């Protein structure tokens, strides 16, 4: 961590800039994919409406007219559910306490806390960045619209929370990294798929770790939450420590590790909603992760 906060670590500054470019590219690709699906879907939907018998065309028109009311009702219900979950007590987790008392083994680096963090949104924003990140407020939601047929009326959003770690490897060898990330929040997933529409909602949280020393190391990833379906109405808290394992080959020199949590939500069709909330209320946040290097 030599002179990093003094702004003299050129390597880290380059890593930070490269990561920002990568996230911007991911954001752009996600937006372009959604726009392409919407444009092609609307064309196919227009062709379908022209070919439908009058009775079915009239049914589809009535269903589309009813969508705003269904969407408003779903939003009101989601607000009530969110208020209840936000006030619920977080579930206690002892997963980290089982190992936190262990000191570094011989030749191990030991416990690391993040020295820098960045919270990116898939609208191109940087919501927060800085040294010594503490608890982070992060949330995202998506509300669908229309019938959802051919992928139309879909919305999605991603939030990326990056934590950077650094340490000096004491010798040339393979190093193991046990990554621990604390979550305190909740999710809401709702979609009511009918016989003549196509609705879906889903949420996903994944962790990624990638080392750097002279060059980028292969990345590792783990999915820690995946909930979704076309007919679904579930909500629950998501609390406790989530872990993943990562390993890379390092020399006796300064090394870097990026740990990133991606929050992703997707909803298609009127009344469909997907929410991940680690922000509302004092008890909901992304906590400070820890990494044990050995």
């Amino acid at each position: 961590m030599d002179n990093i906060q003094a702004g003299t670590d050129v390597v880290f500054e380059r890593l930070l800039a490269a990561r920002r470019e990568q996230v911007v590219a991911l954001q752009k690709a996600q937006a372009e994919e959604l726009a392409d699906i919407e444009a092609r879907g609307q064309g196919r939907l227009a062709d379908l409406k022209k070919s439908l018998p009058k009775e079915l065309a009239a049914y589809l028109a009535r269903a589309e007219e009813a969508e705003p009311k269904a969407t408003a009702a779903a939003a009101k219900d989601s607000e009530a559910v969110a208020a209840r979950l936000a006030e619920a007590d977080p579930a206690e987790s002892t997963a980290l306490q089982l190992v936190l008392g262990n000191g570094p083994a011989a030749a191990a680096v030991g416990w690391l806390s993040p020295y820098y963090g960045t919270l990116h949104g898939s609208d191109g924003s940087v919501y927060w960045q800085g040294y010594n990140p503490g608890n982070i407020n992060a949330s995202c939601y998506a509300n669908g619209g229309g019938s959802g047929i051919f992928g139309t009326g879909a919305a999605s959003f991603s939030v990326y929370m990056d934590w950077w770690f650094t340490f000096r490897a004491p010798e040339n060898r393979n190093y193991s990294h046990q990554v621990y990330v604390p979550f305190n929040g909740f999710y809401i997933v709702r979609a009511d798929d009918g016989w003549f529409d196509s609705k879906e909602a889903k949420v996903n949280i994944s962790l990624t770790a990638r080392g750097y020393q002279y060059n980028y190391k292969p990345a590792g990833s783990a999915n820690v939450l995946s909930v979704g379906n076309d007919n679904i109405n579930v909500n629950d808290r998501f609390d406790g420590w989530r872990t993943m394992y990562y390993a890379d080959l390092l020399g006796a020199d300064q090394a870097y590790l990026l740990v990133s949590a991606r929050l992703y939500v997707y909803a298609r069709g009127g009344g469909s909603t997907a929410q991940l909330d680690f922000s509302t209320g004092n008890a909901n946040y992304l906590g400070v992760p820890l990494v044990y290097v050995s």
Side-chain angles (χ1 to χ4, degrees):
M1 193 171 165
D2 299 342
N3 295 322
I4 288 176
Q5 295 196 31
T8 59
D9 191 332
V10 177
V11 173
F12 173 65
E13 291 174 359
R14 290 174 178 170
L15 288 174
L16 202 60
R19 172 57 178 168
R20 181 59 192 157
E21 290 180 3
Q22 180 188 39
V23 172
V24 168
L26 291 170
Q27 295 163 343
K28 182 179 179 182
Q30 181 177 335
E32 289 177 348
E33 179 183 15
L34 205 63
D36 179 64
I37 292 173
E38 179 69 19
R40 290 187 291 110
Q42 287 292 349
R44 297 175 63 188
L45 184 58
D47 291 339
L48 174 65
K49 290 178 178 178
K50 293 176 183 177
S51 64
L52 285 176
K54 290 183 179 181
E55 294 81 2
L56 286 178
Y59 175 85
L60 181 58
R62 289 195 299 270
E64 290 177 341
E65 290 173 359
E67 287 298 346
K69 185 178 293 186
T71 299
K76 185 176 181 180
D77 181 67
S78 294
E79 288 177 5
V81 172
R84 173 176 57 81
L85 291 173
E87 295 301 322
D89 293 328
E92 293 294 328
S93 173
T94 59
L96 189 66
Q97 284 126 358
L98 296 176
V99 296
L100 194 53
N102 296 335
V109 174
W111 288 102
L112 304 176
S113 58
Y115 68 87
Y116 197 89
T118 306
L119 180 64
H120 315 259
S122 63
D123 57 356
S125 300
V126 173
Y127 300 131
W128 181 89
Q129 62 182 343
Y131 291 97
N132 304 314
N135 294 334
I136 298 296
N137 291 324
S139 62
C140 52
Y141 69 92
N143 294 318
S147 66
I149 296 174
F150 301 131
T152 59
S156 68
F157 202 86
S158 293
V159 167
Y160 301 87
M161 180 59 209
D162 290 346
W163 293 280
W164 290 90
F165 301 78
T166 188
F167 62 95
R168 186 167 293 276
E171 58 186 341
N172 301 338
R173 62 176 174 86
N174 281 297
Y175 285 82
S176 299
H177 307 70
Q178 293 286 348
V179 179
Y180 301 86
V181 181
F183 293 87
N184 289 289
F186 59 89
Y187 61 86
I188 300 173
V189 188
R190 177 173 178 168
D192 185 11
D193 193 45
W195 74 275
F196 204 61
D197 52 33
S198 180
K199 300 181 181 182
E200 183 183 8
K202 56 187 174 183
V203 298
N204 186 283
I205 301 177
S206 58
L207 297 176
T208 302
R210 190 177 192 185
Y212 180 90
Q213 189 188 64
Y214 317 131
N215 52 47
Y216 286 105
K217 308 298 181 178
S221 62
N223 185 270
V224 297
L225 176 69
S226 183
V227 178
N229 211 328
D230 52 3
N231 266 312
I232 190 170
N233 187 11
V234 299
N235 56 81
D236 202 355
R237 290 202 56 85
F238 186 73
D239 298 306
W241 294 85
R242 297 302 187 272
T243 67
M244 68 170 291
Y245 173 80
Y246 178 73
D248 58 3
L249 177 64
L250 300 172
D253 202 348
Q254 197 74 19
Y256 303 84
L257 177 70
L258 169 63
V259 173
S260 182
R262 183 198 185 200
L263 314 181
Y264 172 74
V265 292
Y266 174 89
R268 185 181 71 245
S272 299
T273 187
Q275 298 183 39
L276 288 168
D277 195 317
F278 297 90
S279 177
T280 304
N282 295 329
N284 299 305
Y285 52 84
L286 299 178
V288 180
L290 297 172
V291 176
Y292 187 81
V293 184
S294 60

